[in-house]
Amino acid sequence: MSRFLFQHLERPEAALAEMVRATAPGGRVAVMEVDDGAWFSYPDEPPALERLNGAVRQLQASVGAGRQVGRRLYRMFRAAGLADVQVLAVPRVRLGLTYGRDSELETHQKEFYLNQRDRLIGAGLMTAAEFDEAMRALDASFAADDFGFACEFVAIGRVP
């Protein structure tokens, strides 16, 4: 099983091939991945936050499979020779703190962006001012309790 790893790998197909090789015949291989294309919010994200997310996608795609790898899982599993391939969508809805959203998840999301800050700026994908504006937009989105919907993908296949 792999969880949110393939997006960081330059060659996720090679990792999948190794997973298949190491799994006994009849065993299952499972991969859970993100796909930023399966995200929307209401109201729409502020332009500053859209720019930040675009820059993160661009940075990650420059060194790995990127944050839209979830949509590629089915084809990767079939190409790896796995049988009985299923891809499941796991929805995640950001609701108010009363209804399921929690400050821990928000803290994690902010830390994710903050950990990318210097690399984004160093790669010329954003300025420090643009990054700071995006973080203020993220805080405002949390404070306004905006609706957000994300979907992760889980691919499962059987080794013949």
Side-chain angles (χ1 to χ4, degrees):
M1 167 146 196
S2 168
R3 185 171 177 267
F4 304 125
L5 171 68
F6 279 27
Q7 62 185 299
H8 301 287
L9 300 177
E10 186 175 330
R11 295 179 46 236
E13 296 84 357
L16 181 59
E18 180 60 17
M19 291 171 73
V20 171
R21 187 198 67 75
T23 303
R28 304 280 178 179
V29 171
V31 173
M32 182 176 202
E33 266 306 336
V34 65
D35 195 304
D36 282 355
W39 161 261
F40 61 87
S41 63
Y42 183 84
D44 290 339
E45 285 186 325
L49 201 46
E50 284 184 13
R51 282 192 301 277
L52 173 60
N53 286 321
V56 167
R57 279 191 296 277
Q58 194 174 348
L59 179 66
Q60 201 162 2
S62 74
V63 295
R67 294 190 53 82
Q68 294 181 321
V69 70
R71 67 188 67 191
R72 295 172 40 202
L73 292 175
Y74 177 79
R75 188 168 277 186
M76 288 171 48
F77 271 53
R78 297 297 293 152
L82 291 162
D84 304 327
V85 175
Q86 298 177 357
V87 178
L88 309 170
V90 180
R92 183 171 37 86
V93 176
R94 185 178 82 193
L95 300 169
L97 291 172
T98 304
Y99 299 106
R101 193 179 87 213
D102 63 37
S103 59
E104 196 173 302
L105 185 59
E106 291 177 3
T107 299
H108 171 76
Q109 189 170 357
K110 288 177 73 168
E111 287 175 358
F112 169 80
Y113 289 126
L114 290 169
N115 286 334
Q116 306 298 318
R117 182 184 188 277
D118 292 342
R119 291 176 55 213
L120 290 166
I121 294 167
L125 296 171
M126 300 190 85
T127 66
E130 289 171 326
F131 183 89
D132 294 342
E133 179 186 2
M135 293 305 290
R136 285 190 299 275
L138 180 65
D139 285 336
S141 176
F142 288 154
D145 198 20
D146 290 343
F147 172 83
F149 176 88
C151 188
E152 278 90 30
F153 294 99
V154 178
I156 304 167
R158 182 180 52 79
V159 176

